[in-house]
Amino acid sequence: MLAPTALEVLAHIGRYSLLIGRAFRSVGEWRTYWSAFFLQAVRIGLDSLPIVILAAAFSGAVTTVQTAYQLVSGLVPRSVIGSIVTESVILELAPVISALVLAGRVGARIAAELGTMRVTEQIDALEVMGLNAVSFLVLPRVLAGLLMFPVLITAAAVVGIAGGLLAGIVSGELPPAEFLLGARSFFKPFDVVFMLIKAFTFGFLVTSISCYQGYYASGGAEGVGRATTQAAVVSCITVLLADYLLANLLL
Amino acid sequence: MGRENHSPQARIRVEKLVKSFDGQPVLAGVDLEIYQGETFCIIGRSGTGKSVLLKHLVGLLTPDRGTVWVDGEDIFRVPYGRLRQIRRKFGVLFQGAALFDSLTAEENVAFPLRMLGDRRLGEAEIQKRVRRCLAEVGLEDMGHKYPAELSGGMRKRVGLARAIALEPEFILYDEPTSGLDPETAQTINELIRKLARELGVTSIVVTHDMHSVLEIADRAGLLYEGRMHWVGTIEEMRRSQDPILLRFVKASEYQL
Ligand SMILES: Nc1ncnc2c1ncn2[C@@H]1O[C@H](COP(=O)(O)OP(=O)(O)OP(=O)(O)O)[C@@H](O)[C@H]1O
Ligand SMILES: [Mg+2]
């Protein structure tokens, strides 16, 4: 795949913004999409909970082991490891790793679903009935993302910290009491707020970008495949960019 | 709105419609008028843009130039909210049926009723209408099946049942009988005639099937090289000496 030119990227951003604008235009017609919203929320939540939890647990555990390895000098109290792990998990690992995993799972599924509806004229059928097909399809998915990403990422943070704690016990490097002491002494409530801001942002980006890719799919089964890959790739890149921007803006 | 310039009876008026895809011209200035209550057949070779023309009539595709008037309203100038209102006058049977594959046949037919029907429509009333629509197309026993479990012809009939669920004023059919056995095709042709006769529906039918044309059409038009090459009544068609029309009819192996 060739890298897109700057002009193409701009064209995509323009068309994407128009699509999202049109989706929110019929936000008042909740009757047409609220049941789809619940379905999507359950799917995003249940589909992805195991893999998100797994990724979080391991990243927390690895951070403990690695931090202990890096802080070999006896000058720093071992409880510092607990604070570093907790902060890393809340600020960066839980939101970003979960979002990347979700870009692959949720993003690809959304793009495949909408792309199939596009190439089999199901989207045309919705439009022709007099429905705002964009709202009908995009709104429930984006709203479900806004709701479920924070839930999943909060769960990931809890499990990630637990993973770190457990790794300390297993390796014998760090007793739980010291881990928790470190975790508590440097904890700032703003960290959690920052994590939730990231979660909302990533939830919006992954679901809306995947809807965009699926909605404008063309060219049969091959086109759906292309849209699915694009959804995962573009979501990942955007999540990483947004992660960097948010850190710059808010930290 | 320029309504007074138009023939008073024309309910749909296509005006110099031009559309190309990636520089490839498909429609090169189509003019067409459709009158209240008639059944109009659009014929033409595969790939001449019949489906593309049909999609312009409900604003699913936007023309490069020209426009479409429905009951005196330019559908490409009205705000989106109004376009949605205008679209509710239409039922469309797509070439590939376009059923929602996550819903059963019954749920497909019920979908427009639930989403857009009168809010006071109770579940019992919806079920009654769904059964009636499925019975019209001869599929009353297939309601619980998913589209993937139906044959191509059955899917098309479910698509038709869904198109008529909201009792539209216009029905657009994209090749309603292609891929059907002669007997089912005959049933569909009779249904198209019945809807036109009993409900006063105005129908536009895209078809390859000259037999259907003679069976159902009041008028027909041949789409050729991006234009309506020939338009006339069935009587006129029988007498026509137009070489391109004759060639198309001959190729369909059908004697007028
Ligand atoms: N969305 C699209 N993007 C690009 N090209 C298109 C699109 N839709 C149609 N075309 C092209 O327009 C031309 C006309 O297509 P159309 O589907 O209208 O043909 P048709 O007359 O309905 O043929 P058939 O009888 O086989 O259904 C074809 O060459 C097709 O490739
Ligand atoms: Mg066609």
Side-chain angles (χ1 to χ4, degrees), chain A:
Chain A
M1 191 171 17
L2 295 172
T5 67
L7 208 63
E8 279 166 353
V9 171
L10 279 180
H12 277 297
I13 292 174
R15 209 158 59 136
Y16 164 82
S17 310
L18 285 177
L19 185 79
I20 302 306
R22 211 174 125 197
F24 279 90
R25 194 143 97 189
S26 304
V27 78
E29 297 169 30
W30 55 270
R31 176 170 83 121
T32 56
Y33 65 81
W34 74 273
S35 66
F37 163 70
F38 283 110
L39 181 73
Q40 291 299 327
V42 169
R43 274 212 207 144
I44 292 180
L46 291 188
D47 270 11
S48 326
L49 190 63
I51 180 81
V52 164
I53 293 284
L54 193 75
F58 276 95
S59 53
V62 169
T63 312
T64 294
V65 174
Q66 204 171 307
T67 312
Y69 167 76
Q70 284 172 317
L71 294 180
V72 275
S73 89
L75 296 173
V76 189
R78 284 188 303 180
S79 66
V80 168
I81 298 173
S83 73
I84 289 179
V85 171
T86 312
E87 292 249 297
S88 313
V89 166
I90 294 179
L91 289 179
E92 176 72 8
L93 294 174
V96 173
I97 290 184
S98 307
L100 294 179
V101 167
L102 289 167
R105 276 194 76 92
V106 175
R109 181 174 56 70
I110 289 177
E113 231 168 41
L114 265 54
T116 305
M117 293 188 74
R118 161 63 69 200
V119 302
T120 55
E121 296 180 322
Q122 292 176 54
I123 292 185
D124 285 343
L126 286 171
E127 274 288 321
V128 117
M129 284 173 190
L131 227 62
N132 180 344
V134 179
S135 295
F136 181 77
L137 296 170
V138 174
L139 269 182
R141 287 168 175 81
V142 171
L143 294 179
L146 284 173
L147 177 72
M148 294 313 289
F149 270 55
V151 171
L152 286 169
I153 286 174
T154 304
V158 171
V159 173
I161 293 169
L165 181 87
L166 219 69
I169 300 170
V170 171
S171 67
E173 298 272 357
L174 186 65
E178 278 187 58
F179 184 99
L180 290 173
L181 176 74
R184 271 203 215 97
S185 54
F186 287 91
F187 178 78
K188 297 184 288 296
F190 178 73
D191 294 350
V192 175
V193 174
F194 185 57
M195 179 189 81
L196 290 176
I197 291 174
K198 277 189 175 181
F200 280 119
T201 311
F202 297 163
F204 179 81
L205 288 173
V206 169
T207 50
S208 60
I209 287 170
S210 308
C211 284
Y212 168 75
Q213 296 290 348
Y215 192 84
Y216 286 113
S218 64
E222 193 198 334
V224 176
R226 211 179 319 122
T228 308
T229 323
Q230 280 293 93
V233 171
V234 177
S235 297
C236 283
I237 294 172
T238 319
V239 161
L240 294 172
L241 274 176
D243 186 47
Y244 176 71
L245 285 178
L246 284 174
N248 264 324
L249 281 175
L250 297 175
L251 287 189

Side-chain angles (χ1 to χ4, degrees), chain A residues 121, chain B residues 45-52 54 95 174-175 206 208:
Chain A
E121 296 180 322
Chain B
R45 286 170 52 185
S46 188
T48 46
K50 304 184 297 296
S51 298
V52 169
L54 213 59
Q95 193 162 358
D174 199 342
E175 305 198 1
V206 164
H208 292 295

